[in-house]
Amino acid sequence: MEKVKEWDGIGITRGMHITCSSRYAQQGSELFICRSDGYWKTNLSCTLKRNMGCFENSRTALVLEVSKFLDINGEQECESYCLEQNIRKYFGLQYGKYCYCGTDIKNSPKRMPDEECSTPCRGNEQEFCGGDWRISIFLSA
């Protein structure tokens, strides 16, 4: 029997790196591998980002038309409230305790730095719910 040398067990994998475009959240590996059967394999998943960003809101020119004070606020709680109101397009979180819903984004709000939407959500401190006259806007699922 022939002696196996150390380098005999080394193989070459053909692959490339792939990423999701900036509008999509990325989960999984960026590696795209060519398998021995000729098919390509990856576990990369790209999903549309729901968080549209942090925006300026004002008492005289609200961005979303329906608002509600929630004792426990967060993405899931606010989206559920909006769905109960049969408003299915946008929802927003502001100042920790306010939930907004809307079918349109109104009054051309100014985009603000994400750091200005860093108030912890009321009763749900691991999430952020906008800021002082700053609203985090999300697309409903």
Side-chain angles (χ1 to χ4, degrees):
M1 190 164 159
E2 195 173 303
K3 186 174 181 183
V4 177
K5 298 180 179 82
E6 179 182 348
W7 55 84
D8 287 345
I10 298 173
I12 297 174
T13 302
R14 298 227 181 247
M16 63 180 139
H17 286 275
I18 56 174
T19 59
C20 302
S21 69
S22 62
R23 292 182 48 223
Y24 292 83
Q26 181 170 312
Q27 295 176 336
S29 171
E30 295 178 357
L31 193 57
F32 200 44
I33 299 172
C34 181
R35 300 182 333 186
S36 60
D37 61 6
Y39 287 96
W40 289 86
K41 177 184 175 188
T42 186
N43 68 345
L44 180 68
S45 172
C46 302
T47 53
L48 188 63
K49 285 183 183 175
R50 292 174 39 132
N51 186 342
M52 297 178 65
C54 181
F55 296 87
E56 187 173 48
N57 204 7
S58 87
R59 189 177 330 219
T60 58
L62 291 175
V63 175
L64 299 173
E65 62 265 15
V66 176
S67 67
K68 171 84 172 166
F69 172 89
L70 296 179
D71 289 325
I72 297 176
N73 202 10
E75 287 181 42
Q76 184 176 352
E77 293 80 9
C78 185
E79 183 175 27
S80 292
Y81 169 76
C82 293
L83 291 174
E84 288 170 10
Q85 306 307 307
N86 205 27
I87 301 172
R88 303 186 178 276
K89 189 148 187 191
Y90 302 104
F91 66 96
L93 305 168
Q94 183 174 305
Y95 203 47
K97 55 191 173 187
Y98 296 105
C99 168
Y100 286 83
C101 313
T103 54
D104 294 304
I105 296 175
K106 301 192 179 299
N107 299 309
S108 303
K110 180 180 176 186
R111 179 80 156 89
M112 305 304 288
D114 289 336
E115 298 80 42
E116 293 189 24
C117 283
S118 58
T119 301
C121 297
R122 181 184 180 104
N124 194 6
E125 287 77 25
Q126 69 272 16
E127 288 186 46
F128 296 114
C129 284
D132 188 17
W133 291 110
R134 299 295 182 261
I135 184 170
S136 296
I137 300 177
F138 297 83
L139 281 168
S140 288

